[in-house]
Amino acid sequence: MNKVKKEDTVIFYDREKDKKYFINLALTPKFGTEHGIIEAENVIGLEYGSEVKTHKGYPYLVLPATLHDFIMYKLNRLTQIVYPKDAAYIALRLDVKPGDKIIESGIGSGAMTAVFAHIVGENGKVISYEKREEFIRNALSNLRKLGLDHRVTAKNRDIAEGFDETDADAVFLDVREPWLYIEHAYRALKKGRMLGILVPTVNQIIKTLEKLENMPFIDVEVLEILLRHYKTVPERLRPEDRMPAHTAFLIFARKV
Amino acid sequence: MNKVKKEDTVIFYDREKDKKYFINLALTPKFGTEHGIIEAENVIGLEYGSEVKTHKGYPYLVLPATLHDFIMYKLNRLTQIVYPKDAAYIALRLDVKPGDKIIESGIGSGAMTAVFAHIVGENGKVISYEKREEFIRNALSNLRKLGLDHRVTAKNRDIAEGFDETDADAVFLDVREPWLYIEHAYRALKKGRMLGILVPTVNQIIKTLEKLENMPFIDVEVLEILLRHYKTVPERLRPEDRMPAHTAFLIFARKV
Amino acid sequence: MNKVKKEDTVIFYDREKDKKYFINLALTPKFGTEHGIIEAENVIGLEYGSEVKTHKGYPYLVLPATLHDFIMYKLNRLTQIVYPKDAAYIALRLDVKPGDKIIESGIGSGAMTAVFAHIVGENGKVISYEKREEFIRNALSNLRKLGLDHRVTAKNRDIAEGFDETDADAVFLDVREPWLYIEHAYRALKKGRMLGILVPTVNQIIKTLEKLENMPFIDVEVLEILLRHYKTVPERLRPEDRMPAHTAFLIFARKV
Amino acid sequence: MNKVKKEDTVIFYDREKDKKYFINLALTPKFGTEHGIIEAENVIGLEYGSEVKTHKGYPYLVLPATLHDFIMYKLNRLTQIVYPKDAAYIALRLDVKPGDKIIESGIGSGAMTAVFAHIVGENGKVISYEKREEFIRNALSNLRKLGLDHRVTAKNRDIAEGFDETDADAVFLDVREPWLYIEHAYRALKKGRMLGILVPTVNQIIKTLEKLENMPFIDVEVLEILLRHYKTVPERLRPEDRMPAHTAFLIFARKV
């Protein structure tokens, strides 16, 4: 699977100017560069790493974009997203692996969904509950561009009604009032498996912990992840001047 | 695959005392609890979530341990390990997915290897170069307890001789002098794919950046990840008093 | 004032072994070193920087300890202290300067009191309200060893009764339920001057902010300060492995 | 000293609109508000906290600005400044107190100089070496607006020639190549007193530590201070989205 597919997000890299563009071929059949137009149809089917020329004959390298690139630069956002630093840790803490069945709510813009679908592979499944249909539509179109939509089943439903599944390998809640749905999440989970919850405020942590205390969960953890970049100048190495100070708090617990 | 296997690391959970033990059944055929002995052979084959009794008849719940649990509590360490907060982000930034072929050096105690093997699945491969044979032996025994060893090929070799592969989906270097091996890593990588490097000191960042500057890599990033835990007491919510301040710096770059 | 005084905390420095001891002369009239005894009375009156010999004739350098040294290594603690990283910032944000009149409650072990007294100088005053007499006794004895006790008036009183003063240049609250005393603090402050509050938990921040919202305060700020040390090895420069993750949250507001 | 002086920086506070302006009276003899003009001469001599009216009769409260306010909002900057979070800690670690004689280089825009002068008081002295005359002019004009300039002696000189003083209570270096001047700083310091150094990059830390290793300094420390703000909304308490990730690294050492 090293050939460019029509739904791929690719990088057009200008070696001379050391400049790159993240382009989704499905969205951009004709991409206008400063050196002329690149037609998506001339790119599809090429080996990654090969050269494509604009109509004026200027050469660009065609490189694969990673899931990280797509989430950060090309995901169509209708909501605040789960950032890669958080999404990667959530997936590991929830022990997500190929073949797993993962339940999440809500679908947001599909960033977390994409990371789950990326890891569960062809034999796995992500079931995403979301009450707002436009979010589902947007998230699925994001997932389609990643070739991951067929691994996701979106259910346009309020989780106040509960989840249909009772054998989830993990459940992830990214909703405003997670404490209201923890009993549903408990029922959906296999015994011994992990619940993950994402909340932006400390007030939500407090309410969530109060609920978890009274339920058969163990290994309850609350944490946050900070990512700090450095300027990549070896003779003057130093952290970047500014950084994201907060995206969300993460809460984990194990069903017993 | 929800039955306990003989090589599994499981949790014995004492509901009454709300106490848990992480036990590797292969390592501990007889586990002595305060309420008597649990025989591994009585556990193997049970459904996860079921009850097992000690020879005195005291009941414990048998729960699955996650990869995170194993790395943090049961991995046999001969070296400093790659911590889950870093390992999860590395795997995402290197775009590791089911079916991928990943190259790493060295194998260390197998923590990063395990995370890669966990994600690449049955159709993927992790090729790990390590010159110290005792590290390979220890890492493979750790991987065996996770049922992941068959996804890993360890090569007992100094990477000064280079890598055999030229089609790696990602390369990860966790060695003292990574700058010496970046050209080898470049050759091993598919075009457009990511190189990841882990170093503990800023001096190593500087030398690595100096090398990367003179090679066809783009998207060079240097960063660190901080994980901060909170005490899980809702009526007195506050961060833990102390935290790990540093594990390692992460460097990423894309081959062009 | 460069001569050693009998109440001073000094450093005995062993040049040969590059070893140092923080000693309070009032507390330790005879200090036993591995090379014999140093008599406090042989030290008092010396110029700082001069040499003192043990009864066996082994030489030590006599150096002044800083307020920071005393707080960190010699303060007698009956309570959690305000750490220098926080105390220094609090003093600056409250605009404490020579000649100021500062009100605080409680006195704790006297660390914050010492920093205030250190800065207000001979013409300034720190008035410290504390209901537990043993805390006052201990804090004043700490301040005495710093030669700062005469700048401090301790009032053994519950601030539920309010403060006597109405012309404070700054008020600092380090009590369990600061929201109960903010009106008293308001009355004690000069118009336009700053209130500082220290709390360890987010629940206390929430209650304090709810109170401040309904009072004539502006410039309300909530923040925390993190201090990260580096290992001082130039050829392997890196952050320390662990750090304090949390001491307290700081809240500031200006009376209008 | 609670009357408004002609060189003061004051706050005009509009109670109705809960809006404030930081105004330096010396710089702004006539300040135009949305409700008319305030004449500085009508403000000078008033008690802080009193009301002043615009020419249209709209009332503003006159409040004192703190040193922190001035540095953050009114300091005229020709250079990167030392931020209050760092300046406050530096002053405490250098044990700066009323009556001290402090040496610094360079003067920058006068932020650190102001904090030193603020604390040393009327009987103290800050001696600031700076080779660029325009920096001295600008810094002194900043200090004048704080009423602190008479506590500062600026020497328009390259410190390659060394310092005139040999009895400094503390020395602070904020220059590009501090390692070149550490011997001068050593000579200028009293025995046992502290040297402070500020550098933005890790390369500078490395060179500075290499120099300090070969000199009679003890208690060498390298650290950085991070300040994290929270949104002051009690019902949705959370850290700010972004924060300064780096201002400078601080290095401290004690002369023996």
Side-chain angles (χ1 to χ4, degrees):
Chain A
M1 50 150 286
N2 213 23
K3 285 202 186 318
V4 180
K5 294 190 302 308
K6 68 180 189 312
E7 70 275 7
D8 284 2
T9 292
V10 303
I11 297 165
F12 291 141
Y13 179 61
D14 177 343
R15 261 171 303 195
E16 198 148 316
K17 302 215 162 169
D18 181 25
K19 235 168 109 180
K20 64 192 208 311
Y21 308 89
F22 290 93
I23 301 303
N24 182 263
L25 300 174
L27 291 177
T28 317
K30 287 179 193 302
F31 174 63
T33 77
E34 56 197 310
H35 305 100
I37 290 157
I38 300 175
E39 308 262 354
E41 61 188 21
N42 300 341
V43 179
I44 295 158
L46 290 179
E47 271 296 309
Y48 272 109
S50 33
E51 208 171 79
V52 63
K53 289 200 164 62
T54 66
H55 78 291
K56 292 182 180 170
Y58 189 89
Y60 283 85
L61 271 189
V62 183
L63 304 173
T66 62
L67 176 56
H68 174 273
D69 300 330
F70 183 85
I71 292 173
M72 296 305 283
Y73 311 117
K74 282 285 144 184
L75 190 85
N76 188 38
R77 304 183 182 193
L78 297 184
T79 65
Q80 168 73 283
I81 69 163
V82 179
Y83 284 90
K85 72 177 175 69
D86 296 319
Y89 190 75
I90 290 165
L92 181 61
R93 283 310 304 278
L94 299 186
D95 212 44
V96 178
K97 54 193 164 313
D100 277 0
K101 177 194 283 189
I102 310 300
I103 294 177
E104 70 163 13
S105 180
I107 203 163
S109 300
M112 190 71 241
T113 322
V115 172
F116 285 145
H118 180 74
I119 298 176
V120 298
E122 288 307 315
N123 306 320
K125 199 74 190 166
V126 182
I127 298 154
S128 188
Y129 287 74
E130 171 60 57
K131 62 171 180 248
R132 294 185 55 177
E133 205 184 343
E134 71 271 35
F135 286 178
I136 293 179
R137 257 196 313 274
N138 176 67
L140 287 181
S141 108
N142 281 324
L143 288 157
R144 198 166 304 112
K145 292 162 203 161
L146 287 160
L148 294 172
D149 54 319
H150 62 287
R151 301 178 184 176
V152 177
T153 302
K155 298 189 176 185
N156 186 7
R157 188 174 339 150
D158 187 330
I159 57 172
E161 304 159 26
F163 300 105
D164 302 327
E165 300 72 15
T166 58
D167 59 348
D169 293 297
V171 174
F172 175 67
L173 296 178
D174 177 6
V175 294
R176 180 175 286 106
E177 304 182 297
W179 51 90
L180 299 180
Y181 311 112
I182 290 174
E183 276 160 20
H184 293 324
Y186 181 86
R187 271 188 294 278
L189 269 172
K190 284 181 188 166
K191 240 187 202 169
R193 308 308 303 177
M194 304 291 296
L195 167 65
I197 299 172
L198 180 148
V199 292
T201 74
V202 299
N203 313 68
Q204 292 165 301
I205 300 174
I206 291 168
K207 286 215 181 71
T208 302
L209 287 176
E210 285 166 350
K211 181 64 183 179
L212 286 169
E213 280 186 328
N214 306 314
M215 289 192 63
F217 281 102
I218 61 172
D219 297 348
V220 177
E221 278 186 34
V222 177
L223 56 90
E224 63 183 327
I225 291 174
L226 295 161
L227 192 156
R228 189 187 198 195
H229 273 94
Y230 286 68
K231 297 181 178 177
T232 56
V233 183
E235 57 277 8
R236 286 187 305 284
L237 184 64
R238 50 169 292 178
E240 291 282 356
D241 298 322
R242 292 184 62 73
M243 67 186 273
H246 184 63
T247 53
F249 298 104
L250 308 182
I251 304 170
F252 297 103
R254 182 196 308 271
K255 169 180 179 172
V256 294
Chain B
M1 46 152 289
N2 212 26
K3 282 200 187 322
V4 180
K5 292 189 302 308
K6 68 180 188 313
E7 71 275 8
D8 284 3
T9 291
V10 304
I11 296 165
F12 291 141
Y13 179 62
D14 176 342
R15 260 172 304 193
E16 199 147 315
K17 301 215 164 168
D18 182 23
K19 236 167 107 179
K20 64 193 206 311
Y21 308 89
F22 290 92
I23 301 303
N24 182 263
L25 300 174
L27 291 178
T28 318
K30 289 179 191 305
F31 174 62
T33 79
E34 56 197 308
H35 304 100
I37 289 158
I38 301 176
E39 307 260 356
E41 62 187 22
N42 299 342
V43 180
I44 295 157
L46 290 179
E47 272 293 312
Y48 272 109
S50 35
E51 209 172 77
V52 64
K53 287 197 164 65
T54 65
H55 78 292
K56 293 182 181 169
Y58 191 89
Y60 284 84
L61 272 189
V62 182
L63 304 174
T66 62
L67 176 57
H68 173 272
D69 300 330
F70 183 84
I71 291 173
M72 294 306 281
Y73 310 117
K74 282 286 145 184
L75 190 84
N76 188 39
R77 303 183 182 192
L78 298 184
T79 64
Q80 168 73 282
I81 68 164
V82 180
Y83 283 90
K85 71 177 176 71
D86 296 319
Y89 190 74
I90 290 165
L92 181 61
R93 284 309 304 279
L94 299 187
D95 212 42
V96 178
K97 55 191 165 314
D100 277 359
K101 176 193 286 188
I102 310 300
I103 294 176
E104 71 165 10
S105 180
I107 204 165
S109 299
M112 190 71 240
T113 321
V115 173
F116 286 145
H118 180 75
I119 299 176
V120 297
E122 288 306 314
N123 306 320
K125 199 75 190 163
V126 182
I127 299 154
S128 190
Y129 287 73
E130 173 58 60
K131 60 171 179 252
R132 294 186 54 177
E133 204 184 342
E134 71 271 34
F135 286 179
I136 291 179
R137 259 195 312 275
N138 177 66
L140 287 180
S141 108
N142 281 323
L143 288 157
R144 198 165 305 115
K145 292 164 203 161
L146 287 161
L148 295 172
D149 54 317
H150 62 289
R151 302 179 184 175
V152 178
T153 303
K155 299 190 176 183
N156 187 5
R157 192 179 331 152
D158 187 332
I159 57 171
E161 304 158 25
F163 300 103
D164 302 328
E165 300 72 19
T166 58
D167 60 348
D169 293 297
V171 174
F172 175 67
L173 296 178
D174 178 6
V175 294
R176 179 174 285 108
E177 305 182 297
W179 51 91
L180 299 179
Y181 310 111
I182 291 176
E183 276 161 19
H184 293 324
Y186 182 86
R187 271 189 294 277
L189 270 172
K190 285 181 187 167
K191 240 188 201 168
R193 308 308 302 177
M194 303 292 295
L195 167 65
I197 299 171
L198 180 147
V199 292
T201 74
V202 299
N203 312 68
Q204 292 165 302
I205 300 174
I206 290 168
K207 286 216 181 70
T208 302
L209 287 176
E210 284 166 350
K211 180 65 183 177
L212 285 169
E213 281 186 327
N214 304 314
M215 288 191 64
F217 281 102
I218 62 173
D219 297 347
V220 177
E221 277 187 33
V222 176
L223 57 90
E224 63 182 326
I225 291 175
L226 295 161
L227 191 155
R228 190 188 198 193
H229 273 94
Y230 284 69
K231 296 181 178 177
T232 56
V233 183
E235 57 276 12
R236 286 186 306 281
L237 184 63
R238 47 169 294 177
E240 291 283 357
D241 298 322
R242 295 183 61 71
M243 66 187 273
H246 183 63
T247 52
F249 298 105
L250 307 183
I251 305 170
F252 297 103
R254 183 195 307 272
K255 169 180 179 173
V256 294
Chain C
M1 50 150 288
N2 213 22
K3 283 200 187 321
V4 180
K5 292 190 303 307
K6 67 179 189 315
E7 70 274 9
D8 285 3
T9 292
V10 303
I11 296 165
F12 292 140
Y13 179 60
D14 177 343
R15 261 171 303 194
E16 200 147 312
K17 302 217 163 166
D18 182 23
K19 239 169 105 178
K20 62 193 209 313
Y21 309 90
F22 290 93
I23 302 303
N24 182 262
L25 300 175
L27 291 179
T28 316
K30 288 179 193 306
F31 175 62
T33 78
E34 55 199 312
H35 305 99
I37 290 157
I38 300 174
E39 308 261 355
E41 62 188 19
N42 300 341
V43 178
I44 294 157
L46 291 180
E47 272 295 310
Y48 272 110
S50 32
E51 208 171 79
V52 61
K53 289 198 163 60
T54 66
H55 77 292
K56 292 184 183 168
Y58 190 89
Y60 283 86
L61 271 188
V62 182
L63 305 172
T66 62
L67 176 55
H68 173 272
D69 301 329
F70 183 84
I71 292 173
M72 295 305 282
Y73 309 117
K74 283 284 145 184
L75 190 85
N76 188 37
R77 304 183 181 192
L78 297 185
T79 64
Q80 168 75 280
I81 69 164
V82 180
Y83 283 90
K85 71 177 177 69
D86 296 319
Y89 190 75
I90 290 165
L92 181 62
R93 284 309 304 278
L94 299 186
D95 213 42
V96 178
K97 54 190 163 316
D100 277 1
K101 177 194 283 189
I102 309 301
I103 294 177
E104 70 164 11
S105 181
I107 203 164
S109 299
M112 190 71 240
T113 322
V115 172
F116 286 146
H118 181 74
I119 299 175
V120 297
E122 288 305 315
N123 308 319
K125 199 74 189 164
V126 181
I127 298 154
S128 189
Y129 288 73
E130 172 60 56
K131 59 171 181 252
R132 294 185 56 175
E133 206 184 343
E134 69 272 33
F135 286 178
I136 292 179
R137 258 196 312 276
N138 176 67
L140 288 180
S141 109
N142 281 325
L143 289 157
R144 197 166 305 112
K145 292 163 203 161
L146 288 161
L148 295 171
D149 55 319
H150 61 289
R151 302 177 183 176
V152 177
T153 302
K155 299 190 175 183
N156 187 3
R157 192 177 332 152
D158 187 331
I159 58 173
E161 303 158 25
F163 300 104
D164 302 327
E165 301 72 17
T166 57
D167 61 347
D169 294 296
V171 173
F172 174 67
L173 296 178
D174 178 6
V175 294
R176 178 172 288 109
E177 304 182 297
W179 51 91
L180 299 178
Y181 311 113
I182 290 174
E183 275 160 20
H184 293 325
Y186 182 86
R187 272 189 295 279
L189 270 172
K190 286 181 187 166
K191 239 187 202 169
R193 308 308 303 178
M194 303 292 295
L195 167 65
I197 299 171
L198 180 147
V199 293
T201 72
V202 299
N203 312 70
Q204 292 166 302
I205 300 175
I206 290 167
K207 286 214 182 69
T208 301
L209 288 176
E210 284 166 350
K211 180 66 183 178
L212 285 169
E213 279 184 329
N214 304 315
M215 290 192 61
F217 281 102
I218 61 173
D219 297 347
V220 177
E221 277 186 36
V222 176
L223 57 89
E224 63 183 326
I225 291 174
L226 295 162
L227 192 155
R228 188 188 200 193
H229 273 94
Y230 285 67
K231 297 181 179 177
T232 56
V233 183
E235 56 276 12
R236 287 187 304 280
L237 184 64
R238 47 169 294 177
E240 291 283 356
D241 298 321
R242 292 184 62 74
M243 68 186 273
H246 183 63
T247 53
F249 298 105
L250 307 182
I251 304 170
F252 297 103
R254 183 195 307 273
K255 170 181 179 172
V256 295
Chain D
M1 49 150 286
N2 212 25
K3 283 200 187 319
V4 179
K5 295 190 302 310
K6 69 180 187 314
E7 70 276 8
D8 285 1
T9 291
V10 304
I11 297 165
F12 291 141
Y13 179 60
D14 177 342
R15 261 171 304 194
E16 198 145 318
K17 303 216 162 168
D18 180 25
K19 236 167 108 179
K20 63 193 211 308
Y21 308 89
F22 290 92
I23 301 302
N24 181 262
L25 299 174
L27 291 178
T28 317
K30 290 179 190 305
F31 174 63
T33 78
E34 57 199 307
H35 306 101
I37 289 157
I38 300 175
E39 308 261 355
E41 63 187 20
N42 300 342
V43 179
I44 295 159
L46 292 178
E47 273 296 310
Y48 273 108
S50 34
E51 209 172 77
V52 62
K53 289 200 161 65
T54 64
H55 77 291
K56 293 184 181 168
Y58 190 88
Y60 283 84
L61 270 188
V62 182
L63 304 172
T66 62
L67 176 56
H68 174 272
D69 300 329
F70 183 84
I71 291 173
M72 295 305 283
Y73 310 118
K74 281 287 144 182
L75 189 84
N76 188 37
R77 305 183 182 192
L78 298 184
T79 64
Q80 167 75 281
I81 69 162
V82 179
Y83 283 90
K85 73 178 175 68
D86 296 320
Y89 190 75
I90 290 165
L92 181 62
R93 283 311 303 279
L94 299 186
D95 213 42
V96 178
K97 54 192 163 314
D100 276 1
K101 177 195 284 190
I102 310 301
I103 294 177
E104 70 162 13
S105 180
I107 202 164
S109 300
M112 190 72 240
T113 322
V115 173
F116 286 145
H118 180 74
I119 299 175
V120 298
E122 288 306 316
N123 307 320
K125 199 74 190 163
V126 182
I127 299 154
S128 189
Y129 288 74
E130 172 60 59
K131 60 172 183 249
R132 294 185 55 177
E133 206 186 343
E134 70 272 34
F135 287 178
I136 292 180
R137 259 197 312 275
N138 176 65
L140 288 179
S141 109
N142 281 325
L143 289 157
R144 198 167 302 112
K145 292 162 204 161
L146 286 160
L148 294 171
D149 53 319
H150 63 289
R151 301 177 184 176
V152 177
T153 302
K155 298 189 176 185
N156 185 6
R157 178 147 18 123
D158 187 330
I159 57 171
E161 303 158 24
F163 299 104
D164 302 327
E165 300 73 18
T166 59
D167 60 348
D169 294 297
V171 174
F172 175 67
L173 296 178
D174 178 7
V175 294
R176 179 173 286 108
E177 303 181 298
W179 51 91
L180 299 178
Y181 311 112
I182 289 174
E183 276 160 19
H184 294 324
Y186 182 86
R187 273 189 292 279
L189 270 172
K190 284 182 189 164
K191 239 185 201 170
R193 309 307 304 176
M194 302 292 295
L195 167 66
I197 299 171
L198 181 148
V199 293
T201 73
V202 299
N203 313 68
Q204 292 166 301
I205 300 174
I206 291 168
K207 285 214 182 69
T208 301
L209 287 176
E210 285 166 349
K211 180 65 183 177
L212 286 169
E213 280 185 328
N214 305 315
M215 288 191 64
F217 282 102
I218 61 172
D219 298 347
V220 176
E221 277 186 33
V222 177
L223 56 90
E224 63 182 325
I225 292 174
L226 294 161
L227 192 156
R228 190 187 197 192
H229 272 95
Y230 286 67
K231 297 180 177 177
T232 56
V233 184
E235 57 277 11
R236 284 187 306 282
L237 184 64
R238 49 169 293 176
E240 292 281 356
D241 298 322
R242 293 182 63 71
M243 67 186 272
H246 183 64
T247 53
F249 299 105
L250 308 182
I251 304 170
F252 297 103
R254 183 195 307 274
K255 170 181 179 172
V256 295

